[in-house]
Amino acid sequence: METMSWGAELWDQFDSLEKHTQWGIEFLERYTKFIKERCEIEVNYAKQIRNLSKKYQPKKSLREEEESKYTSGRAFLATLNELNDYAGQHEVIAENLTAQIVSELGRYIQDLKSERKSHFHDGRKAQQHMENSWKQLESTKRRFERDCREADRAQQHFEKMDADINVTKADVEKARLQAQMRSQIAEDSKSEYSSCLENFNQEQNQHYHTLLPHIFQRIQEMEEHRVEQVGACMRTFAEVERQVLPIVGKCLDGMGRAAESIQPKVDSQHVVECYKSGFEPPGDVEFEDYGLKRTASESNLSHTRSRSKSKLWPFIKRNRQREPLSHRLSELISSKPRMHCSSKPRMHCLRNLKRG
């Protein structure tokens, strides 16, 4: 697209261009502030992610004892490590945005302000020169106009004196010389005005067709370069984040691999290996008859002895196990040959047994 020349189209809008270029600098400063705040967000986000990863890292004393035993725990540890690397990429985004945009724009804005100041200084200087030339032209024009009026009055006075027969010849001659002098002054003023006018027209033509368009062209190029710089910064803004996407993708891939490494059956088998006790489940509990007519036999005694030796439940305390009173009585009755105590001590034993 063909660009219109500011010098040709905006020759009378110097003040408007000054305001517009000032707005352009303020826009760059505002955009720079936006990038700075984006960097702060990235840094704070990375810090929060790192703190989160650190918070859920297991204690060193428990790392090998608990979570590292199971595939799900190891996967979670791997996810936390990948998350820590993921946070690092957001720090990289903040660092690159600061280096490639914030710092560059800061230097560019300073150069732009200096360049703009120079261009508008030249423009104002040219305008001031034209204003001075115009004032000089107006001054010579007013002087020429005044001298012409005085020359006319002097000529009229001379003609009046010359026509009056009562006026002496000396006064007429004096009036004639005065009219000639005023006429000469008017001619000199006319010549000066003509010269000043010609000079002003040349300067004005040069101002509006050469000097000012050249200044406007430099201002236009400066402004177009500013806009181009904005576009470059916006592309960099997107590219900086795009550059870390492969690494972010690797972090996410690592999290995915950690999830795929989880093996429920392996963890289930490990639970068995960690907590199995080696006990066998208890057998059926048989009916115990406490009737008075029950006959103690050797087979029952042997069955009772064998049952009393069966394994206990794992969660039952290993205290002294009580046996039914009938079993103890049967054992005492059937063990007469081995007992050498009298009936009185035997009753004492029975009382102790009952209390027990």
Side-chain angles (χ1 to χ4, degrees):
M1 180 179 178
E2 185 178 357
T3 306
M4 293 184 177
S5 173
W6 286 11
E9 302 293 337
L10 304 175
W11 63 270
D12 59 343
Q13 298 297 319
F14 185 82
D15 293 340
S16 299
L17 289 180
E18 189 172 15
K19 293 179 181 178
H20 174 75
T21 51
Q22 177 62 32
W23 170 86
I25 291 176
E26 293 173 355
F27 177 82
L28 275 182
E29 292 175 339
R30 182 165 169 260
Y31 183 77
T32 303
K33 185 179 179 181
F34 161 75
I35 298 297
K36 287 181 179 180
E37 291 186 7
R38 167 67 191 277
C39 292
E40 291 176 2
I41 291 174
E42 293 293 340
V43 170
N44 291 334
Y45 179 68
K47 183 179 180 180
Q48 291 175 354
I49 291 294
R50 285 190 184 279
N51 290 339
L52 179 66
S53 176
K54 182 178 180 181
K55 178 180 179 181
Y56 284 90
Q57 287 281 351
K59 303 298 182 182
K60 292 183 179 180
S61 59
L62 301 177
R63 185 185 300 271
E64 296 182 358
E65 295 181 2
E66 296 296 336
E67 294 193 0
S68 61
K69 294 179 180 180
Y70 303 100
T71 59
S72 57
R74 292 193 295 269
F76 183 51
L77 288 175
T79 300
L80 293 177
N81 293 332
E82 294 292 348
L83 192 63
N84 194 60
D85 295 339
Y86 173 81
Q89 298 312 305
H90 286 275
E91 293 175 341
V92 171
I93 291 176
E95 293 172 0
N96 291 342
L97 288 178
T98 301
Q100 299 180 28
I101 297 182
V102 176
S103 299
E104 292 296 327
L105 276 184
R107 289 190 291 267
Y108 176 71
I109 289 173
Q110 296 304 317
D111 295 340
L112 181 62
K113 288 181 177 179
S114 178
E115 183 182 359
R116 176 182 175 274
K117 182 178 179 181
S118 175
H119 293 333
F120 282 96
H121 173 74
D122 294 341
R124 281 190 292 270
K125 184 178 179 181
Q127 281 188 331
Q128 186 64 42
H129 179 73
M130 287 306 303
E131 290 177 2
N132 293 336
S133 296
W134 174 256
K135 290 178 180 179
Q136 184 179 3
L137 176 63
E138 286 292 309
S139 177
T140 56
K141 179 183 177 181
R142 287 192 299 269
R143 184 166 58 249
F144 170 59
E145 183 181 6
R146 183 183 67 248
D147 292 342
C148 285
R149 286 195 303 267
E150 292 179 355
D152 289 341
R153 285 195 297 268
Q155 182 63 27
Q156 291 174 4
H157 179 68
F158 164 69
E159 292 176 355
K160 182 179 179 181
M161 294 287 288
D162 187 44
D164 192 353
I165 59 174
N166 295 321
V167 177
T168 63
K169 189 176 180 179
D171 290 337
V172 172
E173 183 64 19
K174 182 179 179 181
R176 186 182 66 80
L177 293 177
Q178 183 69 20
Q180 288 180 350
M181 183 187 69
R182 288 296 178 184
S183 178
Q184 184 61 43
I185 292 175
E187 286 295 328
D188 293 342
S189 297
K190 180 181 179 181
S191 176
E192 183 180 1
Y193 170 64
S194 178
S195 176
C196 186
L197 178 62
E198 182 180 1
N199 183 58
F200 175 80
N201 287 333
Q202 290 178 354
E203 289 182 351
Q204 181 175 252
N205 183 71
Q206 183 180 10
H207 175 79
Y208 287 110
H209 293 89
T210 302
L211 183 59
L212 198 61
H214 178 64
I215 294 174
F216 276 31
Q217 179 65 27
R218 288 185 295 167
I219 295 175
Q220 183 177 359
E221 291 174 354
M222 177 194 71
E223 181 66 11
E224 290 177 354
H225 185 262
R226 180 193 67 82
V227 176
E228 182 181 0
Q229 190 72 15
V230 171
C233 289
M234 289 184 176
R235 286 191 294 272
T236 302
F237 179 81
E239 189 61 28
V240 163
E241 188 157 357
R242 193 190 309 276
Q243 289 174 354
V244 303
L245 288 181
I247 303 178
V248 171
K250 291 182 179 179
C251 294
L252 298 177
D253 292 341
M255 296 179 189
R257 287 193 298 270
E260 293 173 358
S261 68
I262 296 176
Q263 302 179 45
K265 294 189 178 299
V266 173
D267 286 358
S268 179
Q269 180 63 30
H270 191 72
V271 171
V272 173
E273 295 173 358
C274 287
Y275 297 110
K276 65 180 180 180
S277 62
F279 290 110
E280 295 180 0
D284 295 338
V285 178
E286 296 184 4
F287 178 78
E288 297 182 6
D289 189 2
Y290 292 93
L292 296 177
K293 297 181 179 181
R294 184 173 180 273
T295 303
S297 61
E298 292 295 331
S299 60
N300 288 340
L301 288 175
S302 62
H303 178 70
T304 301
R305 290 169 184 168
S306 63
R307 187 173 65 234
S308 64
K309 296 179 181 180
S310 64
K311 284 191 174 181
L312 302 175
W313 282 82
F315 48 80
I316 294 178
K317 293 182 179 181
R318 307 225 174 174
N319 296 331
R320 179 178 176 182
Q321 186 181 12
R322 292 187 179 183
E323 294 183 349
L325 181 59
S326 58
H327 292 184
R328 299 296 298 273
L329 290 172
S330 300
E331 185 178 355
L332 289 173
I333 294 172
S334 60
S335 302
K336 288 180 180 180
R338 290 182 294 173
M339 298 182 68
H340 301 282
C341 61
S342 62
S343 60
K344 190 174 183 179
R346 180 179 299 176
M347 292 301 296
H348 177 70
C349 291
L350 288 175
R351 282 195 301 268
N352 290 338
L353 180 61
K354 185 175 181 181
R355 286 196 299 268

